Amino acid sequence: MAEHVTITYNGTAFELPVITGSEGEKAIDISTLRQNTGFITLDPGYANTGSCISDITFMDGEKGVLRYRGIPVEQLAEYSSFKETVYLLINGKLPTTDELNEFSILLNDHSLVHEDMKSFYQNFPRASHPMGILSSMVNALRSFYPELQTLEEEINITVTRLLSKIRTMAAMSYKISRGHQVVYPRSGLLYCENFLNMMFHTPVRPYKLDRAVVKALNVFWILHADHEQNCSTSAVRLVGSGRVNLFAAISAGIAALWGPLHGGANQAVIEMLNTITENGGRIQPFIDKAKDKNDPFRLMGFGHRVYKTYDPRAKIMKKWCDKLLAKLNIKDPLLDVAKELEEIALKDDYFIDHHLYPNVDFYSGIVLRAIGIPTNMFTVMFAIGRLPGWISQWKESMDDPNWKIGRPRQIYTGPNKTDYIPINKR
Ligand code: SDX
């Protein structure tokens, strides 16, 4: 007999099947609950609710485990490249040399952006946040690249266009916001190298690629590449479930990621570290604020819905942060503040009892500062890294024969039936 649970209500027993994942995780399949019992479940924030079955990423929040298609993120960060990890996430396997070369050629062929898009950038107010610009411009891509004939072609070319153009669009946004000449992608430069060159090359000061910077950027984007059903990925799946085009679904993911509780935290961490520094570097007052129930302040870069131990990505990021700053001979005072803050917090009962540890965003901003990325582009960097994850999750939902439009239910608590009262009688 298949594994099941039994719910008993008013003397009636209902059996619900149990699903077991490849790592032993268990779920109660409630897809027949309402039709058999009239009940729905309620789970604000979906902390106890699985939205799908997925083969892409495995996380163990208690043990601090993260694997893409079964491969530990530690190994990918050490030995792989972001482009190879993108291929792994989207195609479900590591590429052969020929497959990776072919992928490189495709990315290169689709790296340019329609020249008419430049005028869009030039007409955003100068103070526009790069995440708002990116979300709008990704959505606008459908206008410049209309639907292709076959679904197969549409998916493959659209995926490649997005993966390649997002770098160009981010760098173009940066250059135009500073009134600088746009730098175009160059064939012969690898994925991360091309982005760095588009961002920092100028006609009077050619950008000199530093191997340590290129490696740190690869690691940064590998660590951000996917994270199962987080807020922005769930947004991409939900918006995509209405069968809208991929550009629009990704635009929704970018918007969701922007929030300071989600991808916007990497920018908020640096702002918090700066505030601590500007306040004389005293950390305890900020720890006390974070613990104060009446104070909305939270320690940015700390805590996680799934990880109840150290985020494995934060460990790796901290290691590469130390390596990069040592190689570039940079002494960033914010790194010292971050390390002192971590040390104090991890000894504090409140953080211990609440299982609050540094997450991916805690050290990532220090790496981006060392590379030269402006703070208001930190979440754009997260979005570029997360794009392959969003795409692979969207593709998996599109390929799922049982996938249907997402439409959660609710429990209504408003007024019961009330008659309309004409305005002259109110
Ligand atoms: C990302 O989901 C993902 O996978 C996301 C992500 C990804 O790769 O996609 O990993 C990327 O978004 C990382 C998280 C970045 N955000 C931050 O660093 C913002 C600060 N962190 C928090 O706001 C919070 O920890 C969340 C949003 C990350 C998680 O919040 P939860 O799971 O909804 O937990 P909660 O808000 O219900 O908090 C539980 C308790 C509360 O205290 P009690 O009322 O139970 O006593 O923990 C406390 C909270 O007050 N708490 C914090 C805290 N985080 C949680 N207290 C102080 N500082 C914090 N950072």
PDB file of all heavy atoms in Angstrom, residues 19 62 120 169 201 229 263 281 345 360-361 424:
ATOM      1  N   ILE A  19       4.305  11.769  -0.528  1.00  0.00           N
ATOM      2  CA  ILE A  19       5.319  11.748  -1.614  1.00  0.00           C
ATOM      3  C   ILE A  19       6.688  11.821  -0.951  1.00  0.00           C
ATOM      4  O   ILE A  19       6.887  12.606  -0.018  1.00  0.00           O
ATOM      5  CB  ILE A  19       5.128  12.966  -2.539  1.00  0.00           C
ATOM      6  CG1 ILE A  19       3.806  12.850  -3.301  1.00  0.00           C
ATOM      7  CG2 ILE A  19       6.290  13.107  -3.514  1.00  0.00           C
ATOM      8  CD1 ILE A  19       3.517  14.036  -4.200  1.00  0.00           C
ATOM      9  N   GLU A  62      18.813  22.485   7.438  1.00  0.00           N
ATOM     10  CA  GLU A  62      19.367  22.144   8.767  1.00  0.00           C
ATOM     11  C   GLU A  62      20.861  21.858   8.668  1.00  0.00           C
ATOM     12  O   GLU A  62      21.635  22.154   9.547  1.00  0.00           O
ATOM     13  CB  GLU A  62      18.624  20.933   9.369  1.00  0.00           C
ATOM     14  CG  GLU A  62      17.265  21.276   9.976  1.00  0.00           C
ATOM     15  CD  GLU A  62      16.239  21.763   8.946  1.00  0.00           C
ATOM     16  OE1 GLU A  62      16.252  21.244   7.804  1.00  0.00           O
ATOM     17  OE2 GLU A  62      15.459  22.687   9.264  1.00  0.00           O
ATOM     18  N   PHE A 120      15.538  54.194 -24.813  1.00  0.00           N
ATOM     19  CA  PHE A 120      14.749  53.887 -23.596  1.00  0.00           C
ATOM     20  C   PHE A 120      15.589  54.260 -22.376  1.00  0.00           C
ATOM     21  O   PHE A 120      15.135  54.951 -21.475  1.00  0.00           O
ATOM     22  CB  PHE A 120      14.455  52.385 -23.513  1.00  0.00           C
ATOM     23  CG  PHE A 120      13.382  51.891 -24.423  1.00  0.00           C
ATOM     24  CD1 PHE A 120      13.357  52.256 -25.769  1.00  0.00           C
ATOM     25  CD2 PHE A 120      12.395  51.054 -23.946  1.00  0.00           C
ATOM     26  CE1 PHE A 120      12.365  51.782 -26.614  1.00  0.00           C
ATOM     27  CE2 PHE A 120      11.397  50.576 -24.785  1.00  0.00           C
ATOM     28  CZ  PHE A 120      11.395  50.931 -26.123  1.00  0.00           C
ATOM     29  N   MET A 169      22.646  44.649 -21.200  1.00  0.00           N
ATOM     30  CA  MET A 169      21.653  45.628 -20.741  1.00  0.00           C
ATOM     31  C   MET A 169      22.068  46.255 -19.414  1.00  0.00           C
ATOM     32  O   MET A 169      21.921  47.457 -19.202  1.00  0.00           O
ATOM     33  CB  MET A 169      20.287  44.945 -20.606  1.00  0.00           C
ATOM     34  CG  MET A 169      19.733  44.488 -21.946  1.00  0.00           C
ATOM     35  SD  MET A 169      18.339  43.363 -21.774  1.00  0.00           S
ATOM     36  CE  MET A 169      17.065  44.489 -21.311  1.00  0.00           C
ATOM     37  N   HIS A 201      35.510  49.355 -19.191  1.00  0.00           N
ATOM     38  CA  HIS A 201      36.416  49.845 -20.255  1.00  0.00           C
ATOM     39  C   HIS A 201      36.001  51.268 -20.649  1.00  0.00           C
ATOM     40  O   HIS A 201      34.814  51.593 -20.727  1.00  0.00           O
ATOM     41  CB  HIS A 201      36.310  48.932 -21.479  1.00  0.00           C
ATOM     42  CG  HIS A 201      37.106  49.432 -22.642  1.00  0.00           C
ATOM     43  ND1 HIS A 201      38.453  49.193 -22.771  1.00  0.00           N
ATOM     44  CD2 HIS A 201      36.752  50.198 -23.709  1.00  0.00           C
ATOM     45  CE1 HIS A 201      38.886  49.778 -23.883  1.00  0.00           C
ATOM     46  NE2 HIS A 201      37.876  50.387 -24.467  1.00  0.00           N
ATOM     47  N   GLN A 229      12.655  27.174  -4.578  1.00  0.00           N
ATOM     48  CA  GLN A 229      11.417  27.947  -4.750  1.00  0.00           C
ATOM     49  C   GLN A 229      11.394  29.222  -3.902  1.00  0.00           C
ATOM     50  O   GLN A 229      10.454  29.488  -3.168  1.00  0.00           O
ATOM     51  CB  GLN A 229      10.207  27.055  -4.444  1.00  0.00           C
ATOM     52  CG  GLN A 229      10.208  25.735  -5.220  1.00  0.00           C
ATOM     53  CD  GLN A 229      10.460  25.930  -6.710  1.00  0.00           C
ATOM     54  OE1 GLN A 229       9.934  26.834  -7.344  1.00  0.00           O
ATOM     55  NE2 GLN A 229      11.321  25.085  -7.288  1.00  0.00           N
ATOM     56  N   GLY A 263      16.475  39.821  -2.663  1.00  0.00           N
ATOM     57  CA  GLY A 263      17.749  40.143  -3.315  1.00  0.00           C
ATOM     58  C   GLY A 263      18.258  41.536  -2.998  1.00  0.00           C
ATOM     59  O   GLY A 263      19.450  41.804  -3.090  1.00  0.00           O
ATOM     60  N   GLY A 281      31.207  53.037  14.593  1.00  0.00           N
ATOM     61  CA  GLY A 281      31.613  51.616  14.531  1.00  0.00           C
ATOM     62  C   GLY A 281      31.117  50.795  15.700  1.00  0.00           C
ATOM     63  O   GLY A 281      31.473  49.628  15.844  1.00  0.00           O
ATOM     64  N   ALA A 345      27.125  38.659  16.851  1.00  0.00           N
ATOM     65  CA  ALA A 345      25.772  38.100  16.670  1.00  0.00           C
ATOM     66  C   ALA A 345      25.753  36.598  16.935  1.00  0.00           C
ATOM     67  O   ALA A 345      24.858  36.079  17.594  1.00  0.00           O
ATOM     68  CB  ALA A 345      25.277  38.398  15.255  1.00  0.00           C
ATOM     69  N   VAL A 360      23.634  34.575   2.054  1.00  0.00           N
ATOM     70  CA  VAL A 360      24.467  34.866   0.866  1.00  0.00           C
ATOM     71  C   VAL A 360      24.753  36.356   0.732  1.00  0.00           C
ATOM     72  O   VAL A 360      25.790  36.754   0.202  1.00  0.00           O
ATOM     73  CB  VAL A 360      23.792  34.335  -0.419  1.00  0.00           C
ATOM     74  CG1 VAL A 360      22.515  35.119  -0.743  1.00  0.00           C
ATOM     75  CG2 VAL A 360      24.748  34.349  -1.591  1.00  0.00           C
ATOM     76  N   ASP A 361      23.844  37.195   1.250  1.00  0.00           N
ATOM     77  CA  ASP A 361      23.991  38.639   1.014  1.00  0.00           C
ATOM     78  C   ASP A 361      24.960  39.319   1.965  1.00  0.00           C
ATOM     79  O   ASP A 361      25.300  40.483   1.769  1.00  0.00           O
ATOM     80  CB  ASP A 361      22.606  39.312   1.131  1.00  0.00           C
ATOM     81  CG  ASP A 361      21.682  38.822   0.035  1.00  0.00           C
ATOM     82  OD1 ASP A 361      22.070  38.915  -1.134  1.00  0.00           O
ATOM     83  OD2 ASP A 361      20.597  38.302   0.356  1.00  0.00           O
ATOM     84  N   ASN A 424     -28.611  58.198  -0.949  1.00  0.00           N
ATOM     85  CA  ASN A 424     -29.474  59.167  -0.211  1.00  0.00           C
ATOM     86  C   ASN A 424     -30.054  58.559   1.077  1.00  0.00           C
ATOM     87  O   ASN A 424     -30.717  59.194   1.852  1.00  0.00           O
ATOM     88  CB  ASN A 424     -30.605  59.656  -1.126  1.00  0.00           C
ATOM     89  CG  ASN A 424     -31.431  58.464  -1.643  1.00  0.00           C
ATOM     90  OD1 ASN A 424     -31.124  57.317  -1.263  1.00  0.00           O
ATOM     91  ND2 ASN A 424     -32.434  58.729  -2.452  1.00  0.00           N
TER      92      ASN A 424
END
